[in-house]
Amino acid sequence: MAILRFKALEMVASRDTDRVFPPADKISDYFGTDSFGLEQMKATISPETFKKVSQAINKGTKIDEVSANAVASAAKNWATSKGVTHYTHWFQPLTGATAEKHDSFFNVKSGIEELKGGALVQQEPDASSFPHGGIRSTFEARGYTAWDPSSPLFIWGRTLCIPSVFVSYTGEALDYKAPLLKAVEAVDKAATKVCQYFDRNVSRVTATLGCEQEYFVVDRALYMARPDLVMSGRTVFGHNPARGQQLDDHYFGSIPSRIYNFMKDFEIEALRLGIPVSTRHNEVAPSQFEVAPVFEDINVATDHNQLLMDVMNRVSERHDLKVLFHEKPFAGLNGNGKHNNWSLITNTGVNLFQPSSSARENLQFLVYLVNTIKAVHDNADLLRASIASAGNDHRLGANEAPPAIISTFIGSELSAVLDELESSGSIKVDKGDNMYMMLGIDKIPEIILDNTDRNRTSPFAFTGNKFEFRAVGGDENVAAPMTVLNLIVAEQLTTFGNDLEAELAKGTEKKIAVVNILRDYIKASKKIRFEGDNYSEDWQEEAAKRGLSNIKDTPRALDTYLSNDVVELYEKHGVLSRHELEARNEIKLENYIMKIQIEARVMGDLVMNHITPTAINYQNKLISTAKGLADLGIDNSETKNILTKVNSHIMSISSDVEAMIEERKRINKIEDSREKAIEYCDNIKNKYFDKIRDAVDDLELLIDDEDWPLAKYRELLFLR
Ligand code: ADP
Ligand code: MG
C-alpha cells in the first residue's frame, strides 16, 4: 500500500495541465445548444401545437397524443442532427443517483430513426433493482417513467435524455421528482390565493431555486490510494495537516491551474446543457470549491443540480481528478453543503421576498416573510428530517457547518421591524441616517432595500430577497428538502388565507386584519429566530432553553416523517401518502445502515490489512534498535517510549476492531430497520469510530513516513 501511495505521489508530480478552450468566445454562442426546451420546441413545431403543449405545461395538464407525437418527432430530428443515436428516460430513483436505460432511435422494421409520442411520454424500465421500500413486491416489479415536460430534454454523450418521474403501476411515487412537483403545485396554489388579496393579476407563483454546490477536488491517483474514499466517499482516518484551514487563506484565493482547467471544462459542458453556472470560487478549506448557477424554476434547478454533479464527475476523469461531494470527506475541515437559495416569484414578475419601496408590496412581502418563518417554526423537525443522511450527520454541527438545530436568521433590520410590529403594531426604525418612514396605514415601514446583513452560520437565513437553506448536504438530491420547504409554506399560507377570511368576515379592514394576524404569527414563532453565532456552544444551551430540537442523528430525525401531523400534512396536499412515506423512511434507514456498515468495514479492513501490519513492522524496527542500543550500553529509553506507544495503539485498534465486528454481527440479526439503524448509530458509529480513528491518527504521527500506507491529508489537500 505504501508503494501505491508513493506511485500516486510520483504521478501527481508529473501531471500536465490540459488547457481547455471553449467552443466559442461568447457563452451565448453555445449556451443551451444541447438542451431542448420550450424555446426549441417553439422553433420546431407548429404554433398551434406549441400553444397546446405550453399551456399543458403551465397548467400541469396532460399533453394529447398528436401533440406528443409532434414534440417527439421534433426532438428526435434535432437530436439525430447532432449525431445522437439513442434516447432514454432520465429519472431520479431513491438511490440518490440518476438512472437511465437507453433505447435506439433506429427501428429495424421501418428501417429509419424514430421517436413516437408514446415512447416520449411513457416508458417501462426494469424497475426491480431500484429501491422501493416495500411498495412493490418483487413479483410485481413493474414501474413506469413518465415525461416531465416542464424540464428541458438534453443530450448527454450520444443520448437524448428525457427528464421523467418514476412511479409504480399502482401510482405510488418511487423517485424524488414526483413529490417535488406536487409540493410545488401546492405552494403555487396557496401562494397565488394569498397574492390575490394584494394583486388580482397574479395567477401563478413559481418557486425558484439557486443551488450553491460545494465540493473538494483531489488527484485521481491519490484518491485511488485511499480505499476509504473510494468505498465510502470520506476519509475514515487521517491526521490533520500541520497547516489546515487555520489560515483561511484559501477562501477567494487564486484557483490552482489544474483545477481551474477542470472548472472551465465542466462549466462549458454545463452551459451547453443549459445549466446557467455563473460563479466559481475557492471555499474555506484547502482544495474546496463552490459552483453556483443562476437560479431557475425549482424543478429545473433540481434536475440541473443532479445533472451538474454527473457532469462534474465525468469531466473530472478527463483531468485525472476526482470530485468529492460527500458532506464530510475530511475530518477537522469544512464539509460540503448545498446552499439552497429559495424564493417565490409571481407570473407578474414580483419576487414575493423582495422588500420594496411601495407600501402595498411591503405588506405583501411581510406576509410571505412572516409566514415562512412561521412555517419553519412549526415544522423545524420536518426540515431537520429532510436533510438527514449518514453523510450529513458527520457535517452538521461540526467545523463551520450549521448545527442540527433549525433556526432562522433575518438580519437586524427586519428583526427590528418584526419586534416593532409585535409590540405595538406601529413601526419606527432608526438606523444611522435612515429613518424609515411610516407608510400605508402607518403600520408598514419602508424596509431597507439592500439587505446586506449576513450571517453565514445560520441553517436557514434570509438573504435580502430569498431564503437560503444551508443545512442541506453536498451529496444529496435537493428535491427532498425542497419538497418539505414548499409543502410547509403551502400549508402555512393556506392557514393564513383561512385566518384572513375569518377576520374579514368579522368586518375587519383588510390591512388591519393582515397586520393583526402577522402579529400573532410573529409572537408564536419567535423562538425559531436567532441572530447570533450558530456555531457557538452557547447556542446549544440557549436553544435547549428555548425548547428547540437538536436531533443529532439520522435514524432519530427520520421519525418525524411518520408522525401523525406530518402524514396528515403530506396527504392533505396530495404530496405523498402514509404508505409512500413509510416506504421512503424504510429506504432511508436501509441506506443509513448500509453507509455505516461500509464505513465500519473499511475501517476494519484498513486496520487489519494495512495499519496493523505497518505498525508491527515499525515496531520490529524499534525492537532491534532498542536491543542494539542496549547492547552498546546506550540509553534506549526514548525508543522504548515510542515502542510502548505504538504497541498500545496496536493493541487498542485490534481489540476495538474485533469488538466492533462482533457488535455488527449481533446488530445484523435485528429485523426492524429503525432499531437496527439506531444500533448502528449508537453502538457502531458513536462507540467505535472516533476511538479507532484517534489511535490510527496517532500512529500516523509515530510511524516512519516512508512506511505509512495511506495518502496523507497534506498530500490529498495541498498537492497541485
Ligand atoms: P452567496 O454565496 O453570497 O450566498 P452566491 O452568488 O454564491 O451568493 O449565490 C447566490 C445564489 O442565489 C445564486 O445561485 C443565485 O442565482 C441565487 N438567487 C438569487 N436570487 C434568487 C431568488 N430570487 N430565488 C432563488 N435563488 C436566487
Ligand atoms: Mg450562499
Side-chain angles (χ1 to χ4, degrees), residues 559-607:
D559 284 345
T560 310
Y561 268 118
L562 299 181
S563 73
N564 286 335
D565 289 354
V566 169
V567 173
E568 210 174 283
L569 174 67
Y570 269 84
E571 292 192 333
K572 178 178 167 193
H573 293 274
V575 174
L576 289 170
S577 67
R578 177 182 284 277
H579 187 43
E580 287 170 309
L581 284 165
E582 280 169 355
R584 259 157 222 263
N585 257 25
E586 188 65 23
I587 293 169
K588 286 189 187 133
L589 288 168
E590 279 167 14
N591 187 279
Y592 178 86
I593 294 166
M594 212 175 60
K595 290 258 167 76
I596 304 294
Q597 224 167 32
I598 291 172
E599 290 183 9
R601 281 206 193 115
V602 168
M603 274 190 165
D605 291 354
L606 286 176
V607 163

Side-chain angles (χ1 to χ4, degrees), residues 4-5 43 141 174 183 187 263 286 333 336 381 386 421 529 628 661:
L4 193 56
R5 173 179 157 222
L174 296 171
V187 85
M263 284 177 173
L333 299 178
N336 289 320
D381 289 354
S386 77
L421 194 59
R529 278 160 48 202
I661 291 171

Side-chain angles (χ1 to χ4, degrees), residues 129-146:
S129 53
F130 296 113
H132 51 77
I135 280 182
R136 286 176 286 110
S137 46
T138 30
F139 56 87
E140 195 18 316
R142 288 183 306 168
Y144 64 91
T145 53

Side-chain angles (χ1 to χ4, degrees), residues 212 290 339 341 454 456 463 468 470:
E212 297 162 57
E290 177 190 294
H339 299 176
N341 293 274
R454 286 290 174 108
R456 294 194 174 270
T463 49
E468 191 171 331
R470 299 207 184 93

